[in-house]
Amino acid sequence: AVVSTQSTGDHVNRLAKVLIEENGYSRKQGFVRYSDSHLKNIETTHLIQAEIKELLAERHQIVKREMAAHKSQLMRMKDTLVAYKSLTGEECRTVFSGGRLTRQPSEGLPSSD
């Protein structure tokens, strides 16, 4: 896990900017890298900012749709996390698929021995 004082929004914006500027993920400009390029002018900067906004808005809608489609599983996961505090990856998969955990909430995480 990574601990950071940076807000999630800042992190997401930075990732979107990296996708477009450094990896050429631009629908309007094609696969052009702007990070070390002299091609980046004020017009291109505005275009990149608009694409970042569009990309984030598009992804936000996808996430909302997926969360709505899996609402019951997410609520079950929330309730289980409140009761157990910590879950293993396997336990998360079990809960998400509708299964029951074999340990009690008062028991700690299984050892990784």
Side-chain angles (χ1 to χ4, degrees):
V2 175
V3 178
S4 173
T5 57
Q6 186 177 34
S7 78
T8 302
D10 290 344
H11 182 70
V12 169
N13 262 329
R14 189 169 44 81
L15 287 175
K17 187 174 180 179
V18 166
L19 275 174
I20 292 168
E21 285 187 350
E22 297 179 20
N23 296 320
Y25 186 79
S26 172
R27 293 178 180 151
K28 295 177 182 169
Q29 296 292 306
F31 293 104
V32 178
R33 291 183 63 184
Y34 291 103
S35 58
D36 300 322
S37 175
H38 64 281
L39 299 173
K40 194 168 157 186
N41 57 33
I42 195 73
E43 184 179 320
T44 306
T45 300
H46 288 290
L47 181 68
I48 290 169
Q49 289 170 346
E51 283 199 271
I52 289 170
K53 185 177 178 180
E54 289 173 21
L55 177 65
L56 294 179
E58 176 186 299
R59 295 293 138 188
H60 180 82
Q61 291 304 315
I62 291 169
V63 168
K64 282 176 54 177
R65 195 169 46 246
E66 287 298 311
M67 288 181 73
H70 299 287
K71 185 174 182 175
S72 65
Q73 291 128 317
L74 292 170
M75 292 297 109
R76 188 169 47 249
M77 183 67 70
K78 175 197 63 97
D79 293 340
T80 305
L81 280 168
V82 167
Y84 285 78
K85 309 294 185 248
S86 296
L87 300 172
T88 65
E90 185 59 39
E91 288 174 329
C92 288
R93 285 184 285 279
T94 298
V95 170
F96 202 75
S97 66
R100 293 202 174 274
L101 299 183
T102 57
R103 69 179 172 99
Q104 296 300 312
S106 59
E107 297 174 27
L109 285 172
S111 68
S112 58
D113 295 338

